[in-house]
Amino acid sequence: MNADNSDIHRLLDEAFAGVAMTPELQDLKEELRGNLAASSAELQAKGMDAAKAARTAVAELGDIP
Amino acid sequence: MTPNTRASAAPNESSDAFASDLLRGHTDTIVLGVLREADRYGFEIYKTIRDATDGRYEIKEATLYATFRRLDKDGLVEAYWGDETQGGRRKYYRITDAGRAVYRQNVLDWTATQQIINTLLNLPNTDKKETAR
């Protein structure tokens, strides 16, 4: 489970790259991390591999920050 | 109903043949309703709405996060962090008493509105009504 989430951490950092971080945004980023992990886990339970599940979960978020 | 169609499709709720504008106007109430029975975290709320409608209505997740912030700011929900040790901590939302009151009022308002719209959309033919008298 931890190994699976490394993709999420990376994609999340990329999504927030260049954004001036406020405490509110940091909070949102952490919230997204937990939700992306759950979303990715659901996709993997349907047979998707970890990398694709992470990408899909992030793509489905839309423009958050 | 195919589980993975959403993966390839752009996040576009209006592809379904119902008025997503109408639904969007009730997002706050829908989220409050989802929280009535249990505290839930974001993806769980999203999933509850998606699964309750058999995937016909998928709220945009970005819309959901904006809703959470607004409900929190208005004191209708309270957020707290779960104690998950693996897979990322989850931010849970709990409905407040004020949130329950707003939910109940919104349901009453919707019920009344629905009745009015149904009446107006089903007005009997006035000519017939006259002759029937």
Side-chain angles (χ1 to χ4, degrees):
Chain A
M1 178 115 183
N2 281 334
D4 296 342
N5 288 329
S6 61
D7 286 312
I8 288 172
H9 300 322
R10 183 174 48 78
L11 291 169
L12 203 49
D13 284 341
E14 282 171 18
F16 278 82
V19 180
M21 291 305 279
T22 61
E24 251 180 20
L25 274 177
Q26 191 60 48
D27 193 80
L28 175 64
K29 189 179 177 185
E30 290 317 309
E31 177 176 14
L32 291 175
R33 198 187 304 278
N35 287 328
L36 286 170
S39 172
S40 164
E42 187 192 59
L43 292 167
Q44 288 180 62
K46 287 175 186 162
M48 206 178 275
D49 66 72
K52 191 174 179 207
R55 278 199 308 277
T56 305
V58 171
E60 282 170 357
L61 272 182
D63 296 325
I64 300 271
Chain B
M1 277 281 282
T2 357
N4 288 329
T5 42
R6 160 176 100 100
S8 52
N12 177 13
E13 297 141 325
S14 60
S15 56
D16 218 326
F18 57 86
S20 56
D21 279 359
L22 263 178
L23 277 162
R24 207 171 300 127
H26 295 273
T27 305
D28 287 14
T29 315
I30 292 169
V31 169
L32 289 173
V34 167
L35 294 173
R36 267 180 316 151
E37 299 300 323
D39 301 355
R40 296 182 198 276
Y41 61 95
F43 181 69
E44 210 178 6
I45 294 170
Y46 167 83
K47 205 163 88 115
T48 302
I49 294 168
R50 184 195 65 192
D51 294 352
T53 58
D54 283 337
R56 288 199 308 153
Y57 185 46
E58 289 184 15
I59 276 186
K60 281 181 187 157
E61 287 177 65
T63 307
L64 269 187
Y65 288 102
T67 301
F68 298 157
R69 278 201 294 274
R70 188 171 51 246
L71 292 175
D72 189 20
K73 194 165 138 262
D74 293 347
L76 304 184
V77 302
E78 288 167 347
Y80 64 93
W81 289 99
D83 52 10
E84 292 80 14
T85 50
Q86 286 207 329
R89 283 195 311 160
R90 289 168 180 170
K91 193 181 193 179
Y92 287 86
Y93 293 92
R94 177 196 297 126
I95 190 169
T96 63
D97 287 346
R100 287 183 193 278
V102 166
Y103 171 79
R104 279 194 297 270
Q105 187 57 53
N106 287 357
V107 171
L108 288 176
D109 290 351
W110 165 249
T111 306
T113 307
Q114 195 186 11
Q115 282 165 358
I116 291 169
I117 292 175
N118 284 344
T119 303
L120 293 176
L121 295 184
N122 291 293
L123 282 182
N125 184 318
T126 42
D127 290 343
K128 267 186 199 161
K129 203 177 176 185
E130 300 272 318
T131 49
R133 268 184 182 173

